[in-house]
Amino acid sequence: MFHPLQVREIERLTDDAVAVTFTVPPELRATFRHTPGQHIALRRTVDGREIRRTYSICTPATDDPVLRVGIRLVEDGTFSTYALKELAVGDTVDVMAPAGRFTLVPRPGRFVGIVGGSGITPVLSIAGTLLARQSDAHFCLIRSDRTTASAMFLEEVADLKDRYPERFQLVHVLSREERQTGLPSGRLDQERLRTLLPALLRTDSVDGWFLCGPYGLVQGAEQALRALGVPRTRIHEEIFHLDNGAAAPAPATTVPAHSTVTATLDGRSGTWPVHDGESLLEAVLRNRPDAPYACKGGVCGTCRAFLVSGEIRMDRNFALESEEVDAGYVLACQSHPATEQVELDFDR
Ligand code: FES
């Protein structure tokens, strides 16, 4: 469900990125309370077409949290262009309550973030909350940007360094800038990480790894960690956008001629036909426009539903952990029926 929120502040972070802060009225404070690492979906209608985008919350989840997101201009990105060029303080935007499972509830231990570009956004909230709330927790941030000028939230990260010099460690890798200081430059790829990580820390002492950024960086970091013997259960991932070469959709299976989907949403159920080639989400949306979604690209996880019965084929999944898939969860926006009847529960 979307809520109209007023823009309180717009702060320019780089040439192509802003931080947008919303005013949350007292009656919606509980709704918009976030777990560090979560995102919110924003909605806008252009020429009668509804556009939704998810943006991560960058602020710590303190007792009185501020709702602020980082938005970077994406090539041909309708929403990001609007946010950077048109959006003004005082405007109202439709905002969905925080969601997402790329989260860390503060606990003692050692944690590492490996992020690229705007992937810093949720990890800034994760690190900021952890260090403020848990005096015996440590966080190491390895971030990669093209240049210093293109790096989002430089001040906020520097502030963490000042505040927690003993517990916060920063490695900033710049891919397109020669550094005079002897600090790392070049791409943060798999090979690089396999050398860098053991030199920085004891990988087996890390309680959680948070990887966030473009597909290539997240995949490379995961492979490096697996090669270093890090168990899959300690690795958390969030992909921000799919670069070329992202995994192709799963091969098509035979689709039954007349499939139906039964969906439960907010306690109400219905059964509807699934048209040829459309996803289960599209079939549900035709009848229940309130079905949850944001990216429709298998990335954000907003359309997660429990598969009660039947079988489905998922094109791609960059949002659900393997344990969630094993437990029976699917992404409705990527699912197609593989049996004549499929039943989803969006409430579980
Ligand atoms: S709507 Fe984003 S994963 Fe389905």
Side-chain angles (χ1 to χ4, degrees):
M1 181 180 169
F2 282 93
H3 302 272
L5 297 185
Q6 221 179 39
V7 174
R8 188 170 92 196
E9 193 186 351
I10 300 178
E11 186 194 342
R12 194 155 274 274
L13 299 172
T14 67
D15 279 354
D16 65 351
V18 290
V20 177
T21 308
F22 295 98
T23 302
V24 180
E27 66 276 16
L28 288 177
R29 290 252 166 85
T31 308
F32 280 96
R33 205 167 277 284
H34 70 284
T35 306
Q38 285 191 312
H39 49 66
I40 50 176
L42 309 185
R43 177 173 72 175
R44 187 175 180 236
T45 306
V46 181
D47 300 332
R49 207 166 58 91
E50 189 180 298
I51 300 168
R52 298 182 180 193
R53 291 289 175 272
T54 52
Y55 294 102
S56 293
I57 301 168
C58 58
T59 33
T62 48
D63 291 339
D64 190 16
V66 173
L67 188 63
R68 179 181 297 144
V69 293
I71 302 181
R72 167 159 270 161
L73 189 65
V74 179
E75 211 181 319
D76 298 329
T78 320
F79 203 99
S80 59
T81 306
Y82 155 73
L84 264 87
K85 307 213 163 129
E86 287 177 46
L87 192 66
V89 170
D91 286 357
T92 298
V93 178
D94 285 339
V95 185
M96 208 190 266
R101 282 164 298 281
F102 179 73
T103 53
L104 173 63
V105 175
R107 59 187 159 100
R110 290 182 180 274
F111 301 90
V112 177
I114 302 176
V115 306
S118 52
I120 180 66
T121 317
V123 174
L124 183 62
S125 175
I126 287 175
T129 314
L130 178 81
L131 295 167
R133 291 254 199 94
Q134 202 73 52
S135 59
D136 47 0
H138 294 251
F139 199 93
C140 172
L141 174 65
I142 303 166
R143 69 179 297 187
S144 160
D145 287 283
R146 276 169 293 144
T147 59
T148 314
S150 74
M152 294 165 75
F153 301 115
L154 276 179
E155 268 178 42
E156 288 77 358
V157 170
D159 189 46
L160 289 181
K161 260 183 93 175
D162 290 345
R163 274 210 222 173
Y164 310 105
E166 307 293 325
R167 299 191 288 123
F168 179 70
Q169 188 181 7
L170 170 68
V171 178
H172 199 170
V173 178
L174 298 168
S175 61
R176 293 206 197 142
E177 195 170 289
E178 283 305 321
R179 297 193 65 150
Q180 315 295 322
T181 52
L183 288 169
S185 62
R187 273 171 62 83
L188 196 58
D189 55 17
Q190 186 192 157
E191 208 176 314
R192 188 76 187 282
L193 282 167
R194 282 175 72 164
T195 335
L196 179 68
L197 291 173
L200 263 181
L201 38 82
R202 270 189 44 212
T203 49
D204 60 352
S205 73
V206 175
D207 299 286
W209 300 81
F210 291 83
L211 320 181
C212 187
Y215 177 79
L217 178 130
V218 171
Q219 288 299 298
E222 188 201 321
Q223 280 158 14
L225 292 176
R226 298 307 307 268
L228 291 166
V230 173
R232 181 70 191 82
T233 47
R234 299 222 177 133
I235 305 173
H236 309 273
E237 297 178 4
E238 182 149 276
I239 288 168
F240 261 29
H241 57 85
L242 301 170
D243 359 85
N244 292 336
T253 48
T254 317
V255 179
H258 302 289
S259 297
T260 60
V261 58
T262 300
T264 304
L265 189 58
D266 283 337
R268 284 192 293 128
S269 301
T271 300
W272 309 287
V274 184
H275 296 166
D276 220 16
E278 75 179 357
S279 68
L280 295 181
L281 175 72
E282 283 161 338
V284 175
L285 275 174
R286 248 184 302 109
N287 303 280
R288 288 287 303 268
D290 55 331
Y293 75 90
C295 74
K296 286 194 183 170
V299 175
C300 72
T302 310
C303 64
R304 185 181 97 137
F306 183 74
L307 181 64
V308 180
S309 64
E311 287 172 27
I312 58 100
R313 161 179 74 79
M314 255 204 284
D315 283 340
R316 57 188 189 188
N317 165 29
F318 298 111
L320 299 178
E321 303 279 352
S322 48
E323 303 85 73
E324 295 176 279
V325 175
D326 294 345
Y329 287 95
V330 301
L331 296 174
C333 77
Q334 298 298 309
S335 297
H336 303 274
T339 49
E340 280 188 8
Q341 286 162 9
V342 173
E343 187 176 351
L344 296 182
D345 186 345
F346 286 89
D347 295 343
R348 280 213 220 172

